[in-house]
Amino acid sequence: MALGRLQGLAVQTPGLAAPAPAPRRVTILGSTGSVGCSTVDLLLRDRDSFTVEALTAGANIDLLVQQALALRPRFVAIADPRCHMALKQRLAGTGIECAAGPEALVEAAERPADWVMAAIVGAAGLAPTLAAIRRGAIVALANKECLVCAGDLVLAEIARSGATLLPVDSEHSAIFQVFDFTQPETVERVTLTASGGPFREASHAHMAEATPEQAVAHPNWDMGAKISVDSASMMNKGLELIEAHYLFDLPEERIDVLVHPQSVIHSMVSYVDGSVLAQLGTPDMRTPIAYALGWPRRIAAPSPRLDLAALSQLTFEAPDLQRFPALRLARAALQTGRGAPTILNAANEVAVESFLARRIGFLDIARLVEQTLETLQGGQVGDLSDVLELDREARAQARQHLIAGF
Ligand SMILES: NC(=O)c1ccc[n+]([C@@H]2O[C@H](COP(=O)([O-])OP(=O)(O)OC[C@H]3O[C@@H](n4cnc5c(N)ncnc54)[C@H](OP(=O)(O)O)[C@@H]3O)[C@@H](O)[C@H]2O)c1
């Protein structure tokens, strides 16, 4: 549905040949993170095409100030209210307004940028992302947890406001680039590729002893801690499966997952005539971010270029659902509906945080998610308060299991 709207815009844009209005005014929610920094990097390479309305961070004042001085946004917001005074002092005399707390993030999203990068990690990004959607902005969505925990709500708000959602996840950007939105009925299935993460070939025993350092050491991508752990458990691919369901309006059984350790083919679309279209590139988020930043036109990105001869081979294998049960749990949650994806996401956030704090083992992540899904009834997730309430309940339930030593 989101891309139905997108299709409308794309078709109305004359030949897609007209230059995008310049300069485009942008906001980055989560500018200090991995995706945020890649977006900042692209903006700094092309100062004439973009102006910056707002930047936000969780608590990293140093980097936020550095980015603000380089990009000169009108407004910066930081989630941690304890950082407010220091941020104010550091930006005194610059003319850049600043604010702190969760409501300041929503204010950043509400300010009049044409294009908003949603790159806060986790459900914490939901309220600001919805605020940007509600005022009809073009929203580049990195924060997949938003669609997982509140997919129906996000799509309903897009339909109401006329906002445009552009996928940033490399897999969904790949599908977006090769999906024929003029004849969606000819799409048989989509295939999300997965690197397999650092434990692709690890034994169950090794995974049981895995440390946070080992789990975040992704073989191909340089990412934030949470998504790196999600990639190691393959929960990331499970979240992406749910994300693809909402973005491309496809049922779960028409979304495949294929392990492709080289991360060169970023995903594929299979058509009724037997054709399979794929998008390829080196694993550098600046390519899918640039695709969204310039959309509907392509803009330059400095990502390393693909050298297939040097790579010499691309390999593929089916995911191992015994060692990576998170993928099975996510698929089941999508089938179940009634808030199950919201519960899955919240329990996973609690589990990953606990693993990173060394309170639980790596294999406990999926166990905790499964137990939380088993003990909590889903329910209505029609509006934001329903989603937030179910998210809160699921976190409380997961923590209860942790205390009980599940
Ligand atoms: N990294 C990738 O390559 C990649 C690829 C595809 C999709 N994604 C998705 O993009 C999102 C961001 O990933 P990332 O790897 O960039 O994460 P990250 O490096 O951990 O950065 C997260 C950003 O969110 C901010 N933040 C953290 N907690 C917050 C809170 N409670 N309230 C407000 N802001 C908060 C962080 O601020 P501080 O820096 O101050 O903590 C930072 O700016 C995730 O949803 C991820 O799944 C990432």
Side-chain angles (χ1 to χ4, degrees), residues 30-36 56-60 79 105 119-122 124 142-145 169 222-225 227 285:
S31 64
T32 52
S34 164
V35 170
T56 82
N60 189 344
L105 303 182
I120 292 173
V121 62
N143 178 216
K144 66 194 86 185
E145 294 92 341
D169 238 330
D222 183 11
M223 309 182 287
I227 184 176
M285 282 303 293

Side-chain angles (χ1 to χ4, degrees), residues 3 38-39 55 66 129 143 188 207 241 258 265 304 343 357 383:
L3 294 171
S38 292
T39 312
L55 300 175
Q66 191 187 314
T129 303
N143 178 216
E188 249 174 22
M207 287 164 78
L241 178 87
L258 183 66
I265 296 180
I343 299 169
D383 60 22

Side-chain angles (χ1 to χ4, degrees), residues 65-383:
V65 168
Q66 191 187 314
Q67 292 175 336
L69 295 178
L71 286 170
R72 295 279 160 176
R74 294 193 187 163
F75 182 72
V76 298
I78 195 149
D80 187 341
R82 292 169 301 183
C83 300
H84 194 190
M85 279 316 290
L87 185 62
K88 232 173 153 169
Q89 281 163 6
R90 302 266 300 269
L91 292 176
T94 62
I96 301 170
E97 280 180 68
C98 67
E103 60 295 337
L105 303 182
V106 171
E107 185 187 342
E110 282 172 343
R111 294 176 74 109
D114 312 306
W115 187 96
V116 177
M117 165 57 79
I120 292 173
V121 62
L126 179 58
T129 303
L130 275 177
I133 288 172
R134 282 178 177 145
R135 65 172 182 78
I138 300 173
V139 176
L141 188 78
N143 178 216
K144 66 194 86 185
E145 294 92 341
C146 277
L147 271 184
V148 173
C149 74
D152 291 330
L153 173 63
V154 168
L155 293 192
E157 293 291 351
I158 288 168
R160 191 165 21 240
S161 67
T164 298
L165 199 60
L166 299 175
V168 168
D169 238 330
S170 59
E171 295 79 357
H172 305 74
S173 173
I175 293 170
F176 178 48
Q177 292 181 51
V178 296
F179 194 106
D180 189 346
F181 291 102
T182 65
Q183 37 183 342
E185 70 286 358
T186 63
V187 171
E188 249 174 22
R189 52 203 317 105
V190 299
T191 303
L192 298 169
T193 52
S195 69
F199 304 138
R200 181 174 63 87
E201 296 182 300
S203 67
H204 198 265
H206 176 85
M207 287 164 78
E209 299 300 321
T211 63
E213 290 75 15
Q214 291 167 332
V216 299
H218 197 280
N220 304 340
W221 296 94
D222 183 11
M223 309 182 287
K226 195 259 178 184
I227 184 176
S228 297
V229 175
D230 285 346
S231 296
S233 69
M234 289 197 74
M235 179 60 89
N236 184 48
K237 215 46 57 180
L239 301 178
E240 289 178 4
L241 178 87
I242 300 172
E243 183 185 13
H245 159 75
Y246 284 111
L247 284 174
F248 304 111
D249 196 18
L250 287 171
E252 165 277 318
E253 64 275 12
R254 284 168 61 201
I255 308 170
D256 295 334
V257 172
L258 183 66
V259 175
H260 166 46
Q262 296 81 18
S263 299
V264 166
I265 296 180
H266 295 308
S267 281
M268 307 175 237
V269 178
S270 304
Y271 288 91
V272 288
D273 61 359
S275 298
V276 180
L277 302 194
Q279 183 260 355
L280 284 68
T282 55
D284 185 324
M285 282 303 293
R286 289 174 300 181
T287 295
I289 294 169
Y291 189 75
L293 186 59
W295 184 89
R297 292 179 58 82
R298 285 188 189 269
I299 59 171
S303 320
R305 276 14 186 187
L306 194 55
D307 182 349
L308 286 172
L311 265 169
S312 87
Q313 64 171 355
L314 300 179
T315 59
F316 305 93
E317 61 205 45
D320 178 346
L321 298 183
Q322 296 302 316
R323 283 185 307 127
F324 298 100
L327 193 48
R328 170 177 57 77
L329 295 175
R331 214 177 255 290
L334 179 54
Q335 277 167 343
T336 304
R338 299 191 315 279
T342 314
I343 299 169
L344 172 103
N345 182 65
N348 183 57
E349 287 194 28
V350 171
V352 171
E353 196 181 288
S354 304
F355 169 69
L356 287 171
R358 299 177 204 280
R359 289 197 290 271
I360 61 173
F362 180 74
L363 296 178
D364 295 331
I365 296 173
R367 282 181 56 218
L368 184 60
V369 172
E370 186 158 26
Q371 286 211 2
T372 309
L373 280 162
E374 279 168 2
T375 44
L376 205 60
Q377 286 290 315
Q380 176 82 0
V381 278
D383 60 22

